[in-house]
Amino acid sequence: MNEATDFGLKDGVIVPMHDISGRQASLSLAASSLDLPPSALKAIHLVSLYAFASTDDASTVRPLLSSREREVLTWTAQGKSTWDVGQILGISQQTVATHLKNSKFKLDTTTVTHTVVQALRRREIEL
Amino acid sequence: MFPVHVIFSKNRHLYAQEVEQHFRLRHRIFVDELGWTALEKPDAREIDQFDTKHSIYLLGIEPGRGVVAGTRLGPSLLPHLLADVFPHAAALRGVPRAPDIYDWTRIFVAPSWRSEIRPCRSAGAIKTAVLEYGLANGIRQVTGLGEPYWIPALYKLGWNPRPLGLPIEHEDRLLLAFTCDITPEALRQTRRIFGFDEPVLAELKLAGAPLRQSEAR
């Protein structure tokens, strides 16, 4: 616990942050002594926000479901099989399976039930 | 998802009930829930000096239920929250003012439409509506004042947010003034992240025939 102090790091600041996906991060700075005016602390805060925002590319944000994926999940939530959903939406069973697979990736889920539950919790589908 | 309606001076009479609902919902959310006591009103309608005939409201209306989300835009050349109440938040770069810059305030989502997992798609619909409305009406930038988390959020959505000053302390929270760009890229990125393949804005409603969005100003 006192390791930082032993190395002469006795004072510091920490900036907690979160982004739209709920991803959290913090930036810490430490020194043997810290004598910063309030404006410097605020500038550090701002710089931290941009550092955090640019830590990964926007393309790594998992997007929400497309309207087709939501349609497939809505019918699935009503107990329809992939064959049923294919008939209802006029697409192949294989395409339905692909939509389910992509939905699993986007929602970071493992089974179809898990996917339907997550989609409901995220309000991406409604019953 | 609820459709987002554009309400402004020319069609406000068609939405009298919804505008009223939205003032009450704003009071419930901003005063009762978020504790912005400076906005408290005895009649429980959260209306400030910037709710004028120039205000543009983008309101999410759930059919059969009413207003469940929304936000407000106002011309930067007229008095507005950032320039007239919080100019010190823009102490470094000043408040950008031009015919194609609007001040963006009061974004809200009713509790029943919030998701427990982020990002919230309902709030995403309102952000997407700001971009759709802005692009259709030649708005190039919107300015805002919010807690610092808005910076990484808008950055990820492709809005290119830039601070106008250092964060300021206001009633125990930090607020940051920023401006951001209304671009087709921002719309593409925002729609992609929130999963909107179609416009979120409802067809513009006016007395008589519906107008195109581009005529709404």
Side-chain angles (χ1 to χ4, degrees), chain B residues 168-183:
Chain B
I168 59 161
E169 274 142 41
H170 180 75
E171 292 175 357
D172 293 334
R173 53 192 119 213
L174 282 179
L175 292 177
L176 185 64
F178 56 86
T179 186
C180 40
D181 295 332
I182 303 299
T183 60

Side-chain angles (χ1 to χ4, degrees), chain A residues 77-96:
Chain A
Q78 320 266 357
K80 302 294 181 197
S81 68
T82 52
W83 186 87
D84 297 332
V85 177
Q87 293 298 306
I88 293 165
L89 299 178
I91 55 180
S92 76
Q93 199 174 350
Q94 189 52 48
T95 307
V96 173

Side-chain angles (χ1 to χ4, degrees), chain B residues 19-76:
Chain B
V19 170
E20 194 55 33
Q21 275 178 353
H22 125 272
F23 287 137
R24 290 173 194 281
L25 184 55
R26 269 168 49 177
H27 201 281
R28 282 207 299 280
I29 293 176
F30 293 113
V31 179
D32 304 341
E33 185 186 337
L34 297 177
W36 297 7
T37 50
L39 305 181
E40 189 163 3
K41 293 287 182 320
D43 64 356
R45 295 157 78 230
E46 192 274 286
I47 299 177
D48 72 4
Q49 67 269 41
F50 308 115
D51 286 299
T52 69
K53 62 176 182 181
H54 303 286
S55 301
I56 295 150
Y57 300 105
L58 304 177
L59 300 185
I61 300 176
E62 183 185 335
R65 172 147 176 245
V67 176
V68 293
T71 197
R72 177 178 72 177
L73 293 170
S76 64

